[in-house]
Amino acid sequence: MSPTQSKKRIAVIAGDGIGQEVIPQALKVIRATGADLEITEFDWGADRYLRDGMTVPPDGFAMLARDFDAILAGAFGDPRVKTNIHAKEILLGMRFRMDLYANVRPVRLLDASLCPLKGIEPKDVDFVVIRENTEGVYTDAGGVFKPGTPDEIAIQEDINTRKGVERIIRYAFDYCEQHKKLDGSPRRRVLMCDKSNAMTHAGGLWQRVFKEVSAEFPQIETQHMYVDALCMQMVRDPRSFDVIVTNNMFGDIITDLAAGLQGGLGMAASGNIHPGQTSMFEPVHGSAPPIAGKNLANPFGAILTSAMMLAHLGLTKEAENIEAAVLQAVRQKKTTQDIGGSLGTREAADNIVSLVK
Ligand code: NAD
Ligand code: IPM
Ligand code: MN
């Protein structure tokens, strides 16, 4: 990827369920910004898998890394594919095989009406979760011994490498140093979240590395919380959070909880990033089978995700334009029902398109 090259090549994989609805809306919006983009769509997902057994073509990941500047993905998961094998191979495939080690999940409250907590204002919720994205229990290492018998044993390993832990913690400190809050004030603190009181081997490594890396950033405050206590704090008073770094599974769980503070999963954006390499952007939500195909899904998570992608590609003005439009729509309640409006998926996105234009 060359940051100076003007036309940005975007691979799009809408995937399953509401991914098929929200991603076309996000594409309308990024096209409306006038950004110089070349968009190529791929049909990887449950339908394709059920048709011909393909999840990812043999050179799929190499092709994405070579031929594209970024990837925009929807969601993967379909009740017809009980094993979820296609989601594992496509979504976790991109994260693992393309080594997209930093899953960056900003948590921002756009309007007080979206937060289920009383007395919480937009200025109170502007933090980011930096989730390790290539290790932990998600490696799915382990196995089953004597399956189906009364003696069955299932082993699920939690893999934590020195290199993997160090690079995600350093990413969190770099992020803290380089990113401001929405109101322009600097970020000040990195909080490491683990369960080192019970999981002592992995926790010990995270604790030691956090201490070592933090010494390189003396101007940044450090804090530690066990994941259970952090969950309690997040629903009682999220105001103190700034940058949170944690492992793959805790990051998954706390970002759904955090999405609840922002108005639900329909509002949450994310990037799967390896600095300097082709990175992948996707809303935090899944394929939401019960509401799929009904024009009910909130497209703002996908739209904010596409803004995050444009910002990553250096298209800052275009990204800010989209974010401002979403903010205005939320304030005017020109939204889908999940966040209090009465518009459908397409109509909510059409309004963003006209605001962006
Ligand atoms: P989900 O995120 O699909 O849905 C959880 C809840 O949030 C549901 O009530 C749903 O209706 C609601 N919701 C989600 N997105 C919404 C939106 N944009 N607008 C309005 N409401 C929205 O999670 P789930 O139900 O646990 O999983 C469904 C499928 O999606 C499963 O197969 C799961 O594995 C998969 N999944 C995929 C991803 C991904 O591809 N990134 C993420 C999470 C779940
Ligand atoms: C997410 C999703 C995925 C995850 C699933 C679909 C494997 O929940 O992106 O948060 O657990 O990472
Ligand atoms: Mn999740």
Side-chain angles (χ1 to χ4, degrees), residues 16 18 22 74-79 81 84 86-87 91 95 105 252 256 264-267 282-291 296-302 336 338-339:
D16 308 330
I18 63 168
V22 298
F76 303 90
D78 186 302
V81 186
N84 213 28
H86 70 296
L91 179 70
R95 292 181 186 170
R105 297 187 157 185
D252 178 48
D256 265 33
L265 280 162
M267 295 300 291
E282 47 161 352
V284 175
H285 65 71
S287 54
I291 62 164
L296 286 173
N298 185 344
F300 288 0
T336 46
D338 55 307
I339 54 167

Side-chain angles (χ1 to χ4, degrees), residues 111 326-335 351 355:
D111 191 78
V326 172
L327 180 61
Q328 188 175 337
V330 166
R331 286 184 177 150
Q332 297 176 341
K333 291 240 180 305
K334 293 196 170 165
T335 71
N351 177 52
L355 291 171

Side-chain angles (χ1 to χ4, degrees), residues 62-92:
M63 177 272 297
L64 290 174
R66 185 186 60 231
D67 297 342
F68 294 94
D69 298 307
I71 305 158
L72 180 65
F76 303 90
D78 186 302
R80 294 170 300 169
V81 186
K82 298 279 177 257
T83 58
N84 213 28
I85 180 70
H86 70 296
K88 187 172 178 188
E89 293 190 359
I90 302 168
L91 179 70
L92 300 182

